[in-house]
Amino acid sequence: LKLTTVEEMEAATARLLETGAKVGADAWQLRVKNQTPHCKFGEQGVCCRICAMGPCRITPKAPRGICGCDVHGIVGRNYLKFTAGGAATHSDHGREICHTLYAAQPDGAYKVKDPEKLIRIAKEWGVETEGKDIYDLAHEMAETALMEYGKPFGVQRWLKRAPEHTQKLWHDAEIEPRAIDREVATSLHMTHMGCSSKPEALVRQSLRAGLADGWGGSMCGTEFSDVLFGTPKPIDTEANLGVMNADNVNIVVHGHDPSLSEMVCEYADDPEMIAYAKSMGAKGITVSGVCCTSNEVAMRRGIPMAGNFLQQENVVLTGACEAIVVDVQCIFPALGPLSKCFHTKFITTSPIAQMPDSDYIRFDVGTAAEKAKQIVKIACENFKNRKPDLVYIPDMKQKATVGYSLEALVKTLDGVTNSQVDVTGTTKPLIECITSGVIRGAVAMVGCNNPKIRPDYAHIELMKKLIANDIVVVASGCSAQAAAKAGLMDKAAKDLCGAGLKRVCELADIPPVLHMGSCVDISRMMVLVAELAKDSGLNISQLPVVGCAPEWMSEKAVSIGNYVVATGIDTFLGVDPYVAGSSEMGQWLTEGVRDWVEAAYTVETDIEKLVDKMIDRIEEKRTALGI
Ligand code: SF4
Ligand code: FE2
């Protein structure tokens, strides 16, 4: 196996930027220069503009805002607001999925593809399934899930999936999330002028809002996406810009909600549409993806991944993108003006993500089929507008096996145990591997790219070192795509592992970096650790497992970090979440929360040190267990 190096990816980007320069295109690389150095107050989180007496910024000479708020209150409020933004975003995505499920019909565009999973969740929730039509059940479950967003009493249903011990910690710390929307609203209430300015209270609510995401809205998103579109199973695909095909109509799906991308894939595969593409002079249609919606369709359909977050402009810069079709989240507004430099149609589809210089084709559940067909047609018709002298697709791609949902992972790992019947269908084979030391532990690698970190470099280098040290990696989001682009999701990457992990990869026929899905699918990782804890009789915090987001950038990532920590998993960040300005906030996040949830953050911007700290933490946990 020859990995694709970050240097090679950068060289390809440089070549694409030359095309960009020819047509007068802007690019994030240039905008970063214009924005550097960043505002120091913003960087440290010490600027407050939540009331119109301000903005106030804290300096040694001006230690308090006009209202008297100190730096810790300001940083703390900013942190909670940031979390609330992320929790709202993931959870609203989950809500959209519930609405899609509510609209599913046996003869409609959206169907129930995994009825077994639906029944399993219904039983878990105590909903009667006997003798019920599966679509009636789907609608009832969708409505029940939607109620989780606004129910006046009680806490999230999904919390019951956690080990008793974890549930008790949440209860005692008063961070069990109530209605999802309530936790977001409460966060915004708390951060309003004249409410909370005590770091402890702000951090507590940050964890609760995070949990409303991970053990609420995101879990709805993941679980009901599986019900609608199928629970992922291992499937082969490819990753990096070379998956685009110069002879074909290239449609790139970008964003997060599979309701759109699934439909686009469905129609791009329709013989009628392929014939239409041919009539326009193309040889066929290639759909590829960027960001999480790409992960969704890669996991379920093997649709190739063109790239991750900071490659979204590259897709257009190939000159071979007929349409970039987006739904919500992580979409650069830059795509509007950039697409105007090429023939590319930039198609926005969601009322939630509307952007200048785009063609807005509003997508909704009722008209999904019709709109998806329209979008595919527009792309086909745009093929003839391509400017051949601008076309350059870097010849760069890697094979990847993706689709390791928890269900798939458990099934796959049954192969590595001495196949005693009683352990199949559980995480016990994985526990055996960990306790015996064949695998030292696991790292959940998640999150975005961020120009503050050399893009993809941290993801790839950390993963290489982890697997070489017999630490298995589960990855999601743009981190997973970085791994796939490099070649780390090729089963042949087993050769980069230590002897123990290599053996497991061979026995189970898996790559050492396992693709668990999109960012909302970090909820899958939460259920995985919950199962590991239950099956091993340990607390989650005792497991030699840590989380890591080395290149994160979005509010969603902070929300995720909060629920991963709150679940009992030490979390390592490569970028500071704008809290450097407050020693008290730093203290709460890196130490204080441990008293409540048995885990905390580590922020380390030196990537070498970051990976060593993770390995040390895993070994410490092993030592504490005497394994
Ligand atoms: Fe300034 Fe206080 Fe208003 Fe913030 S809330 S802008 S610190 S006066
Ligand atoms: Fe994502």
Side-chain angles (χ1 to χ4, degrees):
L1 169 78
K2 194 196 161 298
L3 292 184
T4 303
T5 64
V6 171
E7 287 75 14
E8 286 167 322
M9 294 186 213
E10 286 167 346
T13 299
R15 170 65 184 78
L16 289 169
L17 289 173
E18 282 171 26
T19 314
K22 254 191 246 169
V23 296
D26 194 11
W28 66 258
Q29 290 85 347
L30 306 171
R31 296 189 297 271
V32 166
K33 283 195 188 125
N34 293 343
Q35 289 294 342
T36 307
H38 294 283
C39 164
K40 286 278 172 281
F41 300 100
E43 244 174 7
Q44 302 209 321
V46 301
C47 173
C48 182
R49 51 178 294 279
I50 64 172
C51 95
M53 295 193 287
C56 300
R57 35 188 218 188
I58 301 304
T59 63
K61 267 167 81 189
R64 288 180 186 267
I66 291 168
C67 66
C69 191
D70 68 10
V71 74
H72 312 296
I74 290 175
V75 171
R77 288 192 305 220
N78 287 341
Y79 184 81
L80 177 54
K81 260 183 186 295
F82 213 81
T83 305
T89 304
H90 272 150
S91 298
D92 208 34
H93 165 169
R95 178 186 349 243
E96 291 290 326
I97 295 293
C98 295
H99 278 292
T100 306
L101 183 65
Y102 190 76
Q105 292 295 342
D107 53 355
Y110 297 103
K111 300 191 173 56
V112 171
K113 284 204 183 148
D114 192 341
E116 273 168 42
K117 182 153 187 172
L118 177 65
I119 292 168
R120 186 151 42 88
I121 301 169
K123 287 189 172 148
E124 197 183 319
W125 282 9
V127 172
E128 184 56 56
T129 58
E130 239 18 78
K132 217 173 260 175
D133 174 79
I134 199 73
Y135 282 84
D136 288 342
L137 181 63
H139 302 154
E140 186 179 342
M141 286 297 289
E143 194 171 345
T144 309
L146 285 165
M147 292 303 179
E148 290 297 290
Y149 285 78
K151 63 184 186 187
F153 307 108
V155 297
Q156 285 300 298
R157 287 171 180 270
W158 297 120
L159 304 187
K160 291 266 180 298
R161 289 182 162 189
E164 295 281 335
H165 174 76
T166 309
Q167 291 185 48
K168 183 166 185 314
L169 290 176
W170 291 340
H171 181 78
D172 293 349
E174 288 186 55
I175 55 171
E176 291 166 294
R178 303 156 297 177
I180 298 162
D181 290 347
R182 181 174 184 183
E183 298 311 351
V184 174
T186 296
S187 301
L188 296 182
H189 188 173
M190 285 179 76
T191 56
H192 189 276
M193 194 275 151
C195 288
S196 290
S197 49
K198 192 169 152 190
E200 176 184 341
L202 294 162
V203 169
R204 213 183 275 276
Q205 180 59 19
S206 298
L207 297 187
R208 184 153 64 166
L211 287 169
D213 169 356
W215 291 84
S218 274
M219 210 167 275
C220 287
T222 296
E223 297 298 76
F224 295 118
S225 289
D226 283 357
V227 168
L228 277 166
F229 307 119
T231 304
K233 299 190 212 33
I235 187 167
D236 290 338
T237 185
E238 291 177 324
N240 220 336
L241 287 168
V243 304
M244 294 174 73
N245 185 330
D247 296 330
N248 287 357
V249 170
N250 285 296
I251 303 175
V252 176
V253 290
H254 174 16
H256 284 76
D257 186 342
S259 304
L260 170 74
S261 53
E262 277 283 332
M263 282 301 124
V264 170
C265 292
E266 194 73 38
Y267 282 94
D269 215 20
D270 182 346
E272 192 194 321
M273 282 295 127
I274 295 169
Y276 193 60
K278 287 182 178 161
S279 77
M280 296 291 151
K283 286 196 176 145
I285 303 174
T286 296
V287 180
S288 59
V290 174
C291 284
C292 278
T293 209
S294 170
N295 288 318
E296 299 272 1
V297 287
M299 298 250 290
R300 299 197 178 90
R301 293 173 177 263
I303 296 291
M305 302 179 274
N308 48 0
F309 180 61
L310 284 180
Q311 255 183 318
Q312 57 184 290
E313 290 169 293
N314 289 14
V315 167
V316 177
L317 288 167
T318 62
C321 175
E322 274 59 53
I324 180 159
V325 191
V326 304
D327 48 84
V328 290
Q329 304 166 25
C330 301
I331 300 144
F332 274 8
L335 292 177
L338 178 63
S339 64
K340 297 281 176 257
C341 298
F342 292 86
H343 74 302
T344 306
K345 296 274 185 205
F346 174 42
I347 301 175
T348 48
T349 60
S350 169
I352 288 169
Q354 302 184 48
M355 296 189 193
D357 297 312
S358 72
D359 293 332
Y360 182 44
I361 300 179
R362 187 172 171 165
F363 193 83
D364 52 56
V365 180
T367 58
E370 186 190 311
K371 294 289 174 69
K373 204 167 169 181
Q374 183 192 352
I375 290 167
V376 174
K377 257 183 116 176
I378 289 172
C380 291
E381 285 157 9
N382 198 23
F383 184 77
K384 58 180 186 304
N385 297 325
R386 221 190 245 186
K387 300 183 186 87
D389 52 322
L390 292 182
V391 173
Y392 170 75
I393 301 174
D395 179 20
M396 186 177 275
K397 61 179 174 183
Q398 288 279 3
K399 284 195 281 186
T401 305
V402 301
Y404 294 96
S405 57
L406 177 59
E407 291 86 339
L409 200 58
V410 165
K411 204 164 169 209
T412 309
L413 288 170
D414 277 347
V416 295
T417 182
N418 308 325
S419 53
Q420 297 125 326
V421 187
D422 63 324
V423 304
T424 56
T426 70
T427 61
K428 283 182 181 162
L430 183 55
I431 294 165
E432 262 178 41
C433 294
I434 294 174
T435 45
S436 68
V438 176
I439 295 178
R440 306 298 296 172
V443 175
M445 291 282 303
V446 306
C448 338
N449 301 122
N450 185 327
K452 286 179 182 164
I453 308 282
R454 188 177 175 191
D456 290 339
Y457 186 78
H459 288 301
I460 295 168
E461 292 306 309
L462 291 181
M463 290 189 218
K464 276 162 56 182
K465 185 149 184 185
L466 293 171
I467 62 175
N469 281 280
D470 288 323
I471 293 167
V472 68
V473 175
V474 291
S476 73
C478 287
S479 183
Q481 290 174 319
K485 289 193 299 177
L488 292 167
M489 288 182 173
D490 187 326
K491 287 176 186 169
K494 68 176 169 37
D495 292 332
L496 304 169
C497 301
L501 181 56
K502 181 176 176 180
R503 182 89 189 106
V504 173
C505 290
E506 280 166 352
L507 283 172
D509 192 28
I510 53 171
V513 180
L514 296 162
H515 193 308
M516 283 196 91
S518 62
C519 299
V520 292
D521 292 341
I522 297 169
S523 65
R524 295 188 200 278
M525 299 177 181
M526 297 304 100
V527 186
L528 170 62
V529 290
E531 291 303 305
L532 283 168
K534 287 187 236 169
D535 288 343
S536 65
L538 297 170
N539 298 332
I540 291 177
S541 60
Q542 291 177 291
L543 300 169
V545 172
V546 302
C548 179
E551 304 184 21
W552 74 273
M553 61 84 207
S554 73
E555 291 171 313
K556 291 180 291 177
V558 172
S559 176
I560 293 168
N562 286 335
Y563 74 71
V564 175
V565 166
T567 301
I569 303 168
D570 284 326
T571 298
F572 293 74
L573 304 179
V575 178
D576 171 65
Y578 297 146
V579 297
S582 162
S583 56
E584 285 186 24
M585 277 300 291
Q587 156 75 26
W588 274 108
L589 295 173
T590 60
E591 285 171 50
V593 293
R594 198 176 287 284
D595 290 342
W596 306 335
V597 293
E598 302 176 346
Y601 281 108
T602 299
V603 180
E604 176 55 73
T605 50
D606 180 327
I607 296 309
E608 266 304 310
K609 286 190 192 147
L610 183 69
V611 66
D612 290 338
K613 284 184 181 176
M614 287 197 283
I615 296 173
D616 290 349
R617 190 65 52 86
I618 283 172
E619 291 301 331
E620 275 167 31
K621 286 185 187 266
R622 294 190 66 91
T623 310
L625 288 172
I627 56 172

